[in-house]
Amino acid sequence: MMTIPFSVDGSEKECLIQIRDLVDNRVVADVFHGRCQPGVHSAEFDPKVVFDGLDAGYYALYLIIGDEVESYPLQYMP
């Protein structure tokens, strides 16, 4: 299980957290999607729930909060 912390500034915003393949930018998993109030939040992600499981390797973690998009490298080793 992975815990992904994130924060929302200002006002309520649409939030989307995705894990994407580094090679073709394909969405591997939607971790969270919903409206969030300002403040600190976290989303739980279980790699075992991904169709066919999540393979070991490198991915990109996308945090899309309102109009802001951030991406971070993610290494997964089961």
Side-chain angles (χ1 to χ4, degrees), residues 21-40:
D21 186 279
L22 281 179
V23 176
D24 60 8
N25 206 34
R26 172 182 53 88
V27 175
V28 175
D30 283 327
V31 176
F32 175 82
H33 186 212
R35 297 203 58 82
C36 296
Q37 296 295 324
V40 177

